[in-house]
Amino acid sequence: GTSFAPTDGDALERPSCIWRVVRGLQGPWDVLAILLCVGVIFVALFGIVQAVIQAITSFDWTKYETSPKIQQLTDLAGKLGIKVADILDGSFFTQHKGEVFSAALEAVGMLES
């Protein structure tokens, strides 16, 4: 008769049922781990950008309004078409916040596909 008891050779050739399941799930877990890491990086970058924006908009600029160097920089920015008053009062960032979010969402979408 034939014996159904595994021999040493059978144990090496055929993995157990649990290992087949673990190997089958390894691919999706790898993808999930990569997406999670990329997501954490995007959240960290977004947090840094938000912190910089918050620092710039909440800074007390009134003591520097009469500074000659600041006045020179403001004049130079005006010649280049940059409205410093809009940047300082935060309207520049609120105006372009939607564009930043849509660009970030497109980048995440490209990474997912």
Side-chain angles (χ1 to χ4, degrees):
T2 329
S3 172
F4 291 101
T7 63
D8 289 340
D10 289 337
L12 294 175
E13 292 174 12
R14 291 184 303 173
S16 68
C17 183
I18 293 172
W19 285 110
R20 285 185 206 158
V21 171
V22 169
R23 276 194 216 144
L25 292 176
Q26 187 64 42
W29 282 112
D30 290 344
V31 171
L32 183 64
I34 290 170
L35 289 177
L36 182 66
C37 289
V38 169
V40 167
I41 290 170
F42 275 123
V43 168
L45 289 175
F46 178 76
I48 291 169
V49 168
Q50 283 294 100
V52 168
I53 291 171
Q54 184 65 26
I56 290 173
T57 57
S58 66
F59 188 79
D60 182 21
W61 292 97
T62 54
K63 49 181 150 175
Y64 298 103
E65 285 179 349
T66 58
S67 167
K69 290 185 180 181
I70 293 292
Q71 197 58 42
Q72 288 174 350
L73 288 173
T74 304
D75 293 340
L76 177 63
K79 290 178 185 176
L80 296 174
I82 301 170
K83 298 177 182 176
V84 177
D86 291 345
I87 294 172
L88 296 180
D89 71 3
S91 64
F92 176 81
F93 295 113
T94 56
Q95 176 184 356
H96 297 291
K97 188 184 293 186
E99 294 160 356
V100 171
F101 283 126
S102 65
L105 290 176
E106 284 184 34
V108 170
M110 286 189 296
L111 290 174
E112 287 179 350
S113 60

